[in-house]
Each structure stands twice: as C-alpha cells, then as structure tokens.
Amino acid sequence: MNLAGCRRNARENNRSPRKTLTNFLLRKVRLRIELPALTNRSLANKLRLDMQFDAILKPKKANRQKKPKKDDEEILDRFADEEVSRLREAMLGAAADDEQANRDKLPATNKLKLLPQVMEVLRKQSLSQSIMDNNLLEGVRRWLEPLPDRSLPALNIQRDFFPILKRMEFIDSAVLKESGLGRVVLFYTKCKRVTSDVQRIANELVSTWSRPIIKRSASYRDRVVPMAEEDGTERTNERLNAILARAKEGEKNRIRKNAVMIPQKEIGTYTVAPRTSASVMKGNPSVDTDTVRRKVNAERLRTLSRKMATRA
C-alpha cells in the first residue's frame, strides 16, 4: 500500500487522512525494528539472557536498603567495646599468671607475649572511649605493679607504657580513681631502681595529672619560681681546709688513688632561682662603652634614613 491508497481508504472509511497516515508510518517503523530481530534471533536471545543476568547480579540502587548511619556507629562501638573488654581480661590473666610464676621461681613471660597486641590497641586513638568505658587502664596498672618478690616488671613494658600514657589526653581524675593508675606512677617517681628516662616521664605524668587537683595552671606564665633571699654577690666563704677535707672523704672508696677516674654524669635539680640585680652591671667600663657605641650607631642610622627619604 502506498501513500495514495492510504488517503483513498481514509476517505472511504470517513477517517481523517492525517490519523491514517500516522498509523501507516508507525506500522512501517515497527516492521523495520522487528525484521532484524527475526533474521538474527540467536543474537537477540543472547542479548536478552545477558540483560537478565545483569539485572540479577546488579540490583537497582532503589532496591538496596541503606542502613542508617546511627546503626553503623552503634555496631562499631559495640565491636570496639568487645575487643577492649577481651583484651582487659587477657591482661589481668597474664598478670596473674606472671605473679604465680614469680612465686614458683619460674620465668614470667606471659605479659611479654601479649605486649604487642596490647600496644596495638593502646595506640589507636579511635578506641579511647572504649578504653575509658571498659577500664583498660586497670590492666595497665596491674602490668606496671612490682612482682611478689618486689622486682619491677620487664624494661620493655615500662618503656612502652609510659610514653603511650603521656599521649593519652583523656586521662582525668575520674579515670585515675577508677583504675588506680596514679599510685603506681607515683611509685615510679620515687623508686631508685627505675631508669632515668622512665622516671622523667613518670614525673611529667604526676605533674600533669595533679594540676586539676591542686588547681594549678598549665601555662608557664603563671608559674611561680621561688627566688633566693640573699644577694647573688654575697657568697658564703668556705675555707680551703673544709674543701680539702671533703675531697679526701670522696677518695676513701677509691682502690687506686693515682688512677684516672671516669667522669660520672651528675644532673642537679634546682628549685630556687638566683636573684638578679641590675646594679651588678653598673660601673662596668666595657658595658658603658658598648652602650654609648650602640646609641651613636642608632643615631647615624636614623640620620642616613632621613637623608635617603628627602632625596627620594
């Protein structure tokens, strides 16, 4: 059927030529689309199966039910609490086993075996809330306590725990009271068998933790340093005989008096600052000459600056 025949049929059936023409074009397009499918049916079936597999393996996003963010956070918090709680029980068990081994005169190695796992958890800042809630610092206290024979725990435990405690900013008075960690750290500041690096960190921890209790500011500007009462120029006159007598007392324990001694490091602790006085510098010719020279140079620089400004 051609276009003229389509118009003639439309007049005979009392239909509008435009509507009949539209139906004719639609049928023609449908035939053009269906003919390749009929000639290449195997390819069409394969494409149809591929589309079905894709629909099964990749469901639409609309069908996926997204879990609320709050539920995900609760699941993570619950998982973290369980992990920290299990670790706390393991730490307490290892401490009890080492104490029993120490009583039986056997090597106490249970805490050393568990130390890498404990340090991995303590270094995670995301678990700080779980560490507080599950009182993991109680296990830290048990590990730092002396053994029944009054020996200190392994040096690896001390050097791993104290730096990590220094970085735990969430430790406050309530956490210290619940865990009892403050008493053990205070013991390390007074024990003479503790190494200098561990003792230094222990002193810093005691100073930091005690500030809220005694209401002391952490700012260095608010620090009050006691000053010496006497003037710095006045010194007690010590006689030469007293100095020689003290030197002889120090040489009594030496086996070979003519041998050379190895210098020993002695770090002094100063708690009182000397009183400074400006009158000490007065009357010093070198200081006065230097002051005059500085003033003359400053005046020359100002004069040269004014001349350069006027020329510009």
Side-chain angles (χ1 to χ4, degrees):
M1 182 184 295
N2 54 10
L3 188 60
C6 182
R7 290 177 179 175
R8 188 171 54 255
N9 291 337
R11 293 192 195 97
E12 293 176 355
N13 296 328
N14 295 326
R15 295 179 183 177
S16 62
R18 183 176 297 176
K19 188 174 182 180
T20 305
L21 180 61
T22 303
N23 294 334
F24 171 74
L25 293 176
L26 287 175
R27 285 198 301 270
K28 194 171 183 180
V29 171
R30 192 180 297 114
L31 288 173
R32 289 181 179 178
I33 295 175
E34 291 178 354
L35 282 175
L38 293 174
T39 57
N40 203 356
R41 185 169 297 177
S42 61
L43 181 61
N45 292 333
K46 185 178 180 182
L47 293 175
R48 192 179 298 108
L49 288 174
D50 292 341
M51 293 174 62
Q52 291 177 358
F53 279 121
D54 292 339
I56 294 172
L57 296 177
K58 296 180 180 180
K60 295 182 180 180
K61 294 183 179 180
N63 297 331
R64 297 179 184 176
Q65 295 181 357
K66 293 185 178 180
K67 296 181 180 179
K69 188 176 181 181
K70 187 176 181 181
D71 295 343
D72 294 341
E73 293 177 355
E74 291 179 356
I75 292 173
L76 292 176
D77 291 342
R78 185 162 57 249
F79 178 76
D81 290 339
E82 292 176 358
E83 181 183 1
V84 174
S85 179
R86 286 195 301 268
L87 182 62
R88 175 179 174 273
E89 297 298 329
M91 291 180 68
L92 296 178
D97 293 341
D98 280 358
E99 290 176 359
Q100 185 61 38
N102 184 263
R103 294 188 187 96
D104 298 338
K105 307 298 181 181
L106 296 174
T109 59
N110 294 283
K111 290 188 289 188
L112 290 175
K113 293 178 182 178
L114 193 61
L115 182 61
Q117 183 179 353
V118 174
M119 293 305 300
E120 183 181 358
V121 173
L122 292 177
R123 290 192 182 101
K124 293 180 180 179
Q125 297 182 358
S126 59
L127 298 178
S128 58
Q129 187 63 38
S130 299
I131 291 173
M132 294 172 56
D133 296 340
N134 294 276
N135 197 14
L136 185 63
L137 295 181
E138 181 185 1
V140 175
R141 172 184 62 83
R142 288 289 305 276
W143 280 36
L144 291 175
E145 286 179 347
L147 294 172
D149 62 349
R150 297 184 179 181
S151 62
L152 295 176
L155 192 59
N156 295 349
I157 297 176
Q158 300 178 37
R159 288 181 172 172
D160 286 347
F161 274 5
F162 276 94
I164 204 69
L165 289 175
K166 188 178 178 181
R167 291 195 291 267
M168 290 183 177
E169 300 179 355
F170 59 86
I171 298 179
D172 54 5
S173 301
V175 176
L176 293 173
K177 185 176 180 180
E178 184 180 4
S179 62
L181 184 62
R183 294 191 298 269
V184 178
V185 176
L186 184 62
F187 164 77
Y188 276 81
T189 60
K190 299 180 179 180
C191 183
K192 296 181 180 180
R193 295 173 292 165
V194 179
T195 57
S196 60
D197 53 345
V198 173
Q199 195 168 31
R200 182 174 61 254
I201 299 177
N203 287 324
E204 293 177 2
L205 289 174
V206 171
S207 176
T208 303
W209 294 345
S210 60
R211 284 194 190 107
I213 300 175
I214 62 179
K215 296 180 180 180
R216 180 180 294 178
S217 176
S219 177
Y220 189 81
R221 296 177 180 273
D222 300 334
R223 184 179 179 183
V224 179
V225 181
M227 303 294 291
E229 294 294 336
E230 67 275 2
D231 193 0
T233 58
E234 298 179 0
R235 299 178 180 177
T236 57
N237 296 324
E238 190 177 11
R239 294 183 178 180
L240 180 61
N241 294 332
I243 297 175
L244 295 176
R246 189 168 64 250
K248 289 181 179 179
E249 289 293 332
E251 291 184 355
K252 281 184 179 180
N253 298 326
R254 293 180 60 182
I255 299 175
R256 298 174 58 191
K257 295 185 178 181
N258 295 329
V260 179
M261 289 183 62
I262 299 175
Q264 301 293 328
K265 182 178 67 173
E266 294 182 1
I267 301 176
T269 302
Y270 301 95
T271 57
V272 179
R275 184 178 297 278
T276 58
S277 177
S279 61
V280 177
M281 306 303 296
K282 292 181 179 179
N284 193 340
S286 61
V287 175
D288 295 339
T289 303
D290 186 66
T291 303
V292 173
R293 181 177 60 81
R294 289 175 181 272
K295 289 182 179 179
V296 172
N297 291 336
E299 184 63 28
R300 288 178 179 175
L301 181 61
R302 283 194 294 269
T303 305
L304 182 59
S305 301
R306 285 195 296 268
K307 289 182 178 179
M308 293 296 293
T310 53
R311 289 180 180 178

